[in-house]
Amino acid sequence: MIKLIIELCQANGIDFGFFRLANYITFRALMGMVFSLMFCLIYGSDFIVFLYKKGMKDTSGEASVSSYSKKGTPTAGGLLIIISTVVSLFFWGDLRNTYVLVLLAGFLYTGFVGFIDDFLKVRFKSSLSGLSQMGKTLMLFAFIIPFAIFYLSSLNPMPEGLKTLIYLPFYKNPVMALPDMIFGIFIVFTMFSIINAVNIVDGMDGLLGGTSVLAIGVYTVFAYVIGNKILAQYLLFPYIPGTEEIVIFCSILIGGIVGFLWFNTYPAEIFMGDTGSLAIGSVIGMVAFFLKQEFLFLIVGGLFVFEIFTSLLQEKIGSRLGRRMLYRAPYHHTLTHKGIAEPKAVVRLWLISVILALIGLLSLKIR
Amino acid sequence: MAFEKKVANSKIKVLLTGGGTAGHVIPCIAVYNILKKHFKVEESLYLGLKGKAEEVIVPKHGIKLEFIKSSPFADKSGFEKLKAIFSLSLGVLQSMGKIIKFKPDLIIGAGGYVSAPVIVAGFLLKPFLKHKIVLDEQNLVPGLLNKVASLFADTVFVNFKESSYFIWSNKCVYTGYPVRSQYLEGYKKEDFKEKLGIPSDRKVVLITGGSLGARTINRLVAQSVNELAGFKNTLFIHSIGLNTSESYNAFEDTLNLLKKSGFKIEEKGEEIRLYKNGQLFYTGKRFIDKIFDYQKAADVIVSRAGAGAISEILALGKPAILIPKRGLPGDHQELNAIGIAEKGGCEVLFEKRKNGNDYIEGQEFISLLKSLLNNSERMNEISKNAKSLFYEKGEEVIVETIYRLLTGKEDEINFITGVFEPQFVKFQRYFDNLVRYLYAIPKEEREANLYSRFYRIKIDEYLQSQNFMVVNKAIKLIGALKVEEKYPFLWDNFSNFKGYLKRNTLIAFKNAEKFFPQFETVIEKGIEDSYFEVRREAISLFIRFFRELSTNEKIKEKILKNLEKKFESFEVICESIKASSLILDEDNFVKMNKKFLTHKNVRIREALLDAVRIAIDSSSLSDIEKLQVFLKKMLITTSEFKPVYSVREKYFKTLKILEGKND
């Protein structure tokens, strides 16, 4: 919005001097981040009270309400992230950019799916009565499949030929090119896995908030490099015009998540719910594809991958064998079971994410 | 006011639907009859399924009947589900056509899978035709399709207040069951005995299994007729039922069984009479036409636990023995009965299953009946409770609500607010909730507790399942209810069980009331299992029965070996440490466990403290000073803590104080 106004003014010969800064990606990214962060900090407390009054109270866990349990904490706090991101994006983003529009659409839709799930859980007073596995999958596919079609169609501003190439981290040349059809299946599978992996990590106060900020942060840096012609050439990345706006979107989202984390860290005053986790997962997935860095997720999102691996191991193999494969699944529950308190486990997993993020950043230069 | 009068006097058209079984059709017609009494019903139409109960019942009441397609949805697998969806959507289209043609003012659906498509169709046409939709739900737990349909209805009439918990719509109105008007009048038992020609000092037991008859009840009666003959001055009236299907002919089957009893039998067409010493003590009829006369004359009623039967009994305030039918969707008859029995409104007998046949134990039935008939205080109490459970204002509420709906005063309707979570829901939602509850039942109450009785019968059913997770449930129940006659099954099959089952078997044994020698072999097997939770529980079981097992050196040796192992699960090591405090003397205990004093894992250090506690409690270690010195070297830095949310703590304390003051 602000960019649009400045451009309009400049076209009409009005010069704002200082506000020319708005043409710079870094300026808008940082302003957007601060804006969404401040938005969360200012309206967060009221928002928590609002959710509480609306009866969006978490019912997970079967223990009865006691002074030790967190039952009854407001949930669906992902709405706060979504609202702050959308408002900030309205001011600082450039909504003429195709990538931003698609990101926004996916972000809102998956957030909506998550909200339905949260709402059902709250309405029917049980963590088991949300959307069924099938229902959730179908609703996600209703977004993922159109996304894959968009990605492969001519609507995607990415240079032709680049779309279906496979790049690996730490290797500068594409390893292979896949046929459209197979790459489409690859998109569907990967997106679905990423969204679910991110969703599963959301099980402790502040865990997903911290780890996803780091993952998105790395992708933001990559987006800045890939969207900048000179830097991309210098670091031997394929230059993809338009991806610089992804920097804005991601940094605004980071601001929103950090602002949410303010209230969500242990002991949580509000839970993200599926509203937040699905929306964040879908953004990470889409950005990975827009930047052609799908396999980077295995590194920067290594924690997510590991968590869903443990969860699937238990669900698919363990339940068939009739035994626990780990002490508890997904893995973060194993930590508390072993006697590491929740806040400590969360910080440790954050630190692991930091290490993974640094390795991810290394792949910028080592190629 | 003038407008209201106009609506009440103006003619209305009613579209009825609901069916599959008589249990859905009869209440629908009952609501219709109430409407006919208070409104001017110009025309009515019933949408039902071909070949179901409605085909027989509806024409008798002079209502036009038309058929649509529908199909049940829940409990179907993948492809079947698609077929059901297709058939349901076809039903929706069909009913849309019928609704457009009929143009009703009011649509009343009474559950059963036929009503769902009609209600959806009604909802879709609502903006154009301006009718109102009412759903009548009789069962405590509605089926899936009814839950969905409730979202499209303007009002849902419920028979139990708790139903509002299950129904997705929040527009429930508590009406109770719409019973026939004969049940609402005051009456005197003696008058009806006289009317039926029974001496007023004779006790009457009415046994009925619904209009079709219930095999379990019929066989129970026929097989225990010798004992029944022993009841003094009591007349048994038995409604045998109309069922003449290939698999079961109610009347013939009962007659054949009765012939074996050796009493003098008089067979008169539709009626069987049995005499003992020349006195009539049993009358079995194929069908009792004016059942309410008999119900009113009865001292005790033995009946199925369908919503209709229960409501009639409650309305009359009769002491009853309910025999819920087993294996119905969601166990709804059993739950209905438990719901009443919990409030002291009836006695319950649960069906058991053997070789695919449901049965009731005759002895149990006879002793319950005897104790009930001989205890008039208990009968009065049940009677009083039953009467108080019946909601008498049903008719009034139905009329008022429909009147308000038709006059557009929906905001005046008294919808149920507040959520009642019935206890069994908590149990069904999460099986461990149930197990925890059952564990907590004191020994003396275990026989009488309804849930304990109900789930004890379930054990057999679960054990026969092919799915090991269902067998797992049975094992948990065996443990919680301490069913000792099932223990042999557990230890015989222990080696073939999967991980969870082994673990839960050991937990079940751990909670046993006394020691069985077979536990020893189970522990020996368990302690070498490949699954860590089994090893853990095996040691835990050893600790529980240490006194009996203290001579088994083999187990002790294996446990002590665990303390040396490097790659053992910490859960197993924790239990081994606890066990070691019982096995070893002070010196060896201190020596072997020294390395755990500064172990990295908090849980292991915690176990060390537990071990010392166990040792002192069982006085196996007595050198307190040595233990003190030992524990002083312990690393007590921890990575774990339990939070206390002070606001929450004060909140619950304050609430408790307030509650205390209110009492």
Side-chain angles (χ1 to χ4, degrees):
Chain A
M1 185 73 171
I2 288 174
K3 186 172 186 235
L4 194 71
I5 293 170
I6 304 278
E7 274 178 19
L8 269 178
C9 292
Q10 280 177 341
N12 291 322
I14 309 165
D15 194 357
F16 273 108
F18 174 76
F19 285 103
R20 266 184 322 227
L21 274 174
N23 281 326
Y24 293 97
I25 296 293
T26 39
F27 177 75
R28 278 195 292 137
L30 290 174
M31 286 306 285
M33 190 191 284
V34 171
F35 189 96
S36 57
L37 176 61
M38 293 308 291
F39 186 94
C40 282
L41 298 192
I42 291 167
Y43 292 107
S45 310
D46 293 338
F47 190 74
I48 291 169
V49 176
F50 169 76
L51 283 179
Y52 194 83
K53 279 186 181 159
K54 287 281 165 202
M56 291 300 287
K57 281 177 265 179
D58 181 68
T59 48
S60 74
E62 299 300 333
S64 58
V65 180
S66 74
S67 39
Y68 304 111
S69 88
K70 286 180 271 188
K71 199 172 169 179
T73 306
T75 184
L79 280 178
L80 183 63
I81 301 176
I82 292 177
I83 294 170
S84 65
T85 307
V86 170
V87 171
S88 178
L89 192 69
F90 177 74
F91 285 113
W92 301 101
D94 183 357
L95 292 175
R96 292 166 299 177
N97 183 298
T98 319
Y99 293 128
V100 171
L101 283 179
V102 174
L103 279 173
L104 188 62
F107 184 62
L108 289 177
Y109 177 78
T110 43
F112 172 69
V113 173
F115 182 75
I116 292 180
D117 194 31
D118 287 336
F119 182 78
L120 288 177
K121 281 177 195 166
V122 170
R123 173 71 182 87
F124 303 117
K125 300 129 209 143
S126 155
S127 55
L128 302 178
S129 58
L131 281 174
S132 68
Q133 190 96 28
M134 198 48 160
K136 212 168 173 181
T137 307
L138 284 178
M139 288 192 80
L140 286 179
F141 270 76
F143 153 71
I144 295 172
I145 290 172
F147 172 75
I149 293 168
F150 156 82
Y151 188 86
L152 295 169
S153 74
S154 55
L155 285 171
N156 183 357
M158 197 181 285
E160 225 27 72
L162 184 64
K163 283 179 197 167
T164 56
L165 292 181
I166 299 276
Y167 282 92
L168 294 181
F170 300 110
Y171 192 70
K172 59 179 173 255
N173 296 323
V175 265
M176 59 167 141
L178 291 174
D180 275 13
M181 200 55 210
I182 295 177
F183 198 81
I185 295 167
F186 173 69
I187 295 177
V188 173
F189 171 77
T190 314
M191 282 292 290
F192 187 65
S193 313
I194 291 179
I195 293 175
N196 276 301
V198 173
N199 189 12
I200 223 144
V201 174
D202 181 25
M204 279 182 176
D205 295 353
L207 179 56
L208 179 55
T211 48
S212 65
V213 160
L214 288 159
I216 298 173
V218 174
Y219 273 116
T220 313
V221 175
F222 270 76
Y224 187 73
V225 171
I226 291 170
N228 183 314
K229 201 167 187 177
I230 304 159
L231 269 176
Q233 263 170 6
Y234 173 65
L235 290 169
L236 304 172
F237 277 96
Y239 167 61
I240 305 173
T243 51
E244 70 274 9
E245 282 296 324
I246 294 177
V247 177
I248 315 278
F249 189 97
C250 284
S251 48
I252 287 172
L253 182 58
I254 289 174
I257 298 173
V258 172
F260 175 77
L261 205 53
W262 184 276
F263 302 100
N264 183 232
T265 52
Y266 190 92
E269 293 161 77
I270 184 169
F271 293 148
M272 185 183 288
D274 282 358
T275 317
S277 59
L278 290 183
I280 291 172
S282 74
V283 168
I284 296 180
M286 283 186 283
V287 169
F289 274 99
F290 287 149
L291 299 177
K292 297 297 317 155
Q293 296 297 327
E294 301 89 353
F295 286 90
L296 184 68
F297 183 78
L298 292 177
I299 298 172
V300 294
L303 184 75
F304 304 114
V305 177
F306 178 67
E307 291 253 0
I308 198 164
F309 172 74
T310 57
S311 175
L312 284 177
L313 183 74
Q314 180 58 43
E315 200 176 295
K316 300 292 174 205
I317 299 173
S319 65
R320 209 155 289 167
L321 293 178
R323 55 184 291 171
R324 289 188 201 279
M325 307 303 285
L326 300 96
Y327 290 116
R328 296 288 183 272
Y331 186 71
H332 52 255
H333 291 310
T334 300
L335 293 179
T336 41
H337 180 69
K338 275 184 173 169
I340 299 171
E342 190 179 326
K344 193 157 194 157
V346 169
V347 173
R348 283 187 180 170
L349 292 174
W350 282 355
L351 294 177
I352 288 171
S353 284
V354 169
I355 297 168
L356 291 170
L358 291 176
I359 296 172
L361 284 177
L362 264 184
S363 76
L364 270 177
K365 188 65 197 158
I366 307 173
R367 286 167 68 80
Chain B
M1 276 313 273
F3 175 70
E4 285 172 16
K5 234 180 181 176
K6 206 172 135 198
V7 171
N9 286 325
S10 72
K11 292 168 178 173
I12 58 169
K13 282 172 148 188
V14 185
L15 182 85
L16 304 163
T17 179
T21 61
H24 290 300
V25 183
I26 289 169
C28 190
I29 290 177
V31 173
Y32 171 71
N33 284 336
I34 291 172
L35 285 183
K36 232 164 67 175
K37 216 161 109 191
H38 296 269
F39 296 86
K40 282 188 180 157
V41 180
E42 178 192 25
E43 215 183 334
S44 55
L45 174 70
Y46 199 105
L47 294 182
L49 290 170
K50 222 177 166 70
K52 297 282 182 181
E54 51 265 39
E55 207 174 345
V56 186
I57 302 170
V58 173
K60 276 189 200 164
H61 290 83
I63 305 170
K64 208 168 88 190
L65 178 67
E66 287 182 18
F67 299 111
I68 60 161
K69 269 201 161 48
S70 183
S71 159
F73 187 73
D75 308 328
K76 293 227 165 166
S77 55
F79 182 65
E80 293 271 287
K81 253 184 189 165
L82 278 181
K83 255 166 81 180
I85 289 177
F86 179 74
S87 148
L88 281 170
S89 24
L90 207 68
V92 171
L93 289 179
Q94 272 181 329
S95 5
M96 276 173 92
K98 306 228 159 165
I99 292 172
I100 291 172
K101 234 164 107 190
F102 185 67
K103 294 204 184 62
D105 296 299
L106 190 65
I107 297 179
I108 298 172
Y113 49 89
V114 64
S115 66
V118 179
I119 283 175
V120 173
F123 178 77
L124 292 175
L125 292 171
K126 216 164 127 187
F128 312 107
L129 293 176
K130 311 237 181 302
H131 47 245
K132 299 288 174 189
I133 304 169
V134 175
L135 184 70
D136 185 55
E137 178 57 57
Q138 305 93 35
N139 278 316
L140 181 50
V141 185
L144 175 67
L145 282 180
N146 276 359
K147 286 189 203 171
V148 176
S150 75
L151 291 174
F152 301 106
D154 291 301
T155 306
V156 183
F157 291 164
V158 292
N159 184 12
F160 297 93
K161 269 189 184 162
E162 287 88 346
S163 299
S164 71
Y165 180 83
F166 302 99
I167 290 173
W168 292 355
S169 149
N170 43 17
K171 292 180 179 165
C172 296
V173 176
Y174 178 47
T175 60
Y177 189 90
V179 291
R180 281 171 281 182
S181 53
Q182 289 95 330
Y183 289 98
L184 298 171
E185 300 152 0
Y187 71 98
K188 258 192 176 162
K189 191 158 66 184
E190 286 71 25
D191 295 349
F192 284 89
K193 280 188 183 168
E194 206 183 311
K195 190 177 169 189
L196 298 171
I198 303 164
S200 61
D201 61 329
R202 285 201 88 175
K203 285 178 180 163
V204 176
V205 177
L206 176 71
I207 303 164
T208 157
S211 56
L212 282 179
R215 174 170 20 193
T216 322
I217 295 179
N218 290 346
R219 291 210 170 144
L220 168 71
V221 171
Q223 278 160 358
S224 49
V225 75
N226 279 315
E227 286 87 350
L228 294 183
F231 280 76
K232 261 184 235 156
N233 202 16
T234 309
L235 176 65
F236 294 90
I237 301 175
H238 183 190
S239 161
I240 299 169
L242 295 166
N243 196 347
T244 51
S245 68
E246 267 174 42
S247 58
Y248 181 65
N249 186 325
F251 194 73
E252 293 297 316
D253 187 82
T254 312
L255 184 61
N256 286 336
L257 283 170
L258 285 174
K259 274 179 183 163
K260 288 180 197 158
S261 67
F263 289 103
K264 188 189 155 212
I265 291 189
E266 194 183 333
E267 198 192 331
K268 253 203 242 164
E270 305 273 277
E271 200 174 327
I272 309 168
R273 290 183 173 185
L274 254 64
Y275 294 88
K276 187 192 178 191
N277 305 331
Q279 200 191 21
L280 177 76
F281 75 94
Y282 171 91
T283 318
K285 297 188 180 195
R286 188 193 287 270
F287 181 72
I288 299 182
D289 197 25
K290 287 196 168 159
I291 186 91
F292 37 85
D293 285 348
Y294 288 84
Q295 282 170 326
K296 285 176 185 173
D299 291 274
V300 172
I301 298 178
V302 179
S303 165
R304 280 289 191 215
I310 288 185
S311 308
E312 287 169 5
I313 290 166
L314 295 185
L316 296 175
K318 288 287 179 189
I321 297 176
L322 296 182
I323 302 181
K325 189 170 166 53
R326 194 170 171 291
L328 289 176
D331 296 332
H332 73 247
Q333 280 210 355
E334 273 133 332
L335 298 178
N336 285 349
I338 289 179
I340 305 292
E342 262 189 318
K343 291 164 194 152
C346 69
E347 298 280 359
V348 188
L349 280 179
F350 294 111
E351 286 186 353
K352 295 179 180 172
R353 171 166 288 184
K354 207 183 219 170
N355 306 328
N357 280 324
D358 296 335
Y359 72 100
I360 296 279
E361 262 173 51
Q363 206 47 51
E364 214 179 323
F365 170 66
I366 296 296
S367 63
L368 180 62
L369 190 59
K370 205 170 255 172
S371 69
L372 194 60
L373 279 173
N374 291 335
N375 188 348
S376 60
E377 242 170 65
R378 173 84 180 129
M379 289 226 285
N380 286 338
E381 192 194 317
I382 294 183
S383 214
K384 216 176 82 192
N385 289 338
K387 193 89 194 151
S388 71
L389 286 173
F390 182 72
Y391 185 62
E392 287 167 344
K393 288 187 191 156
E395 187 173 332
E396 203 177 301
V397 174
I398 288 176
V399 172
E400 228 160 66
T401 311
I402 289 183
Y403 179 72
R404 281 175 184 157
L405 268 181
L406 290 175
T407 47
K409 291 182 185 162
E410 278 162 51
D411 47 343
E412 285 175 22
I413 297 174
N414 183 16
F415 292 122
I416 299 179
T417 50
V419 186
F420 311 80
E421 187 181 35
Q423 194 168 33
F424 67 86
V425 180
K426 226 168 106 192
F427 295 160
Q428 283 192 335
R429 198 179 64 200
Y430 193 61
F431 195 74
D432 284 354
N433 275 338
L434 170 70
V435 173
R436 220 170 293 145
Y437 170 83
L438 293 177
Y439 264 120
I441 300 172
K443 196 179 169 189
E444 319 78 77
E445 287 172 27
R446 213 174 294 138
E447 285 295 311
N449 187 291
L450 283 167
Y451 291 98
S452 144
R453 275 170 54 199
F454 177 52
Y455 283 101
R456 209 185 159 109
I457 291 162
K458 283 260 159 190
I459 290 176
D460 284 312
E461 186 189 329
Y462 288 159
L463 280 180
Q464 277 152 20
S465 168
Q466 294 297 316
N467 182 346
F468 75 90
M469 287 311 278
V470 179
V471 179
N472 189 25
K473 278 186 177 181
I475 295 177
K476 282 186 185 174
L477 288 178
I478 291 172
L481 295 171
K482 308 186 173 56
V483 190
E484 284 172 8
E485 64 262 29
K486 294 283 172 207
Y487 286 176
F489 173 85
L490 296 184
W491 61 59
D492 289 344
N493 292 304
F494 185 75
S495 310
N496 310 327
F497 281 158
K498 294 196 178 202
Y500 290 145
L501 309 200
K502 282 185 184 169
R503 178 194 68 191
N504 292 330
T505 302
L506 290 164
I507 293 175
F509 288 163
K510 195 165 74 179
N511 290 289
E513 262 146 17
K514 59 175 192 281
F515 179 75
F516 291 83
Q518 285 88 345
F519 287 177
E520 204 165 328
T521 39
V522 171
I523 294 176
E524 279 169 17
K525 280 179 203 165
I527 224 162
E528 282 183 334
D529 200 84
S530 63
Y531 182 33
F532 65 90
E533 286 192 292
V534 175
R535 297 198 292 276
R536 180 192 76 200
E537 289 305 329
I539 300 170
S540 182
L541 179 59
F542 172 78
I543 297 173
R544 164 76 170 79
F545 292 110
F546 175 71
R547 248 173 263 281
E548 290 83 353
L549 291 165
S550 58
T551 50
N552 191 324
E553 294 301 325
K554 217 166 118 195
I555 296 178
K556 284 186 191 170
E557 198 182 317
K558 269 179 198 147
I559 291 175
L560 292 181
K561 240 183 216 162
N562 282 338
L563 298 178
E564 311 282 336
K565 278 185 192 163
K566 244 191 169 156
F567 297 105
E568 181 56 292
S569 156
F570 79 88
E571 290 183 357
V572 180
I573 294 180
C574 287
E575 289 301 318
S576 303
I577 293 172
K578 287 182 207 164
S580 74
S581 71
L582 293 169
I583 300 169
L584 299 169
D585 57 15
E586 283 89 352
D587 290 330
N588 282 320
F589 176 76
V590 167
K591 205 173 104 194
M592 291 204 72
N593 288 313
K594 213 170 171 181
K595 61 180 176 209
F596 297 126
L597 281 171
T598 52
H599 198 279
K600 280 183 289 189
N601 194 321
V602 194
R603 297 273 186 239
I604 288 182
R605 280 181 271 145
E606 227 177 320
L608 208 52
L609 295 170
D610 288 338
V612 173
R613 284 278 297 279
I614 290 173
I616 290 169
D617 286 348
S618 65
S619 57
S620 66
L621 303 182
S622 47
D623 193 344
I624 305 288
E625 205 187 319
K626 193 155 200 172
L627 290 175
Q628 278 175 335
V629 175
F630 171 66
L631 284 182
K632 264 181 190 155
K633 290 173 206 151
M634 188 164 153
L635 175 69
I636 52 168
T637 310
T638 169
S639 58
E640 207 224 6
F641 68 97
K642 277 212 174 73
V644 176
Y645 304 110
S646 62
V647 174
R648 278 170 171 260
E649 204 179 18
K650 275 183 193 156
Y651 174 77
F652 293 117
K653 257 186 202 159
T654 317
L655 280 190
K656 256 180 203 159
I657 292 167
L658 288 176
E659 266 168 32
K661 269 186 184 165
N662 282 339
D663 284 343

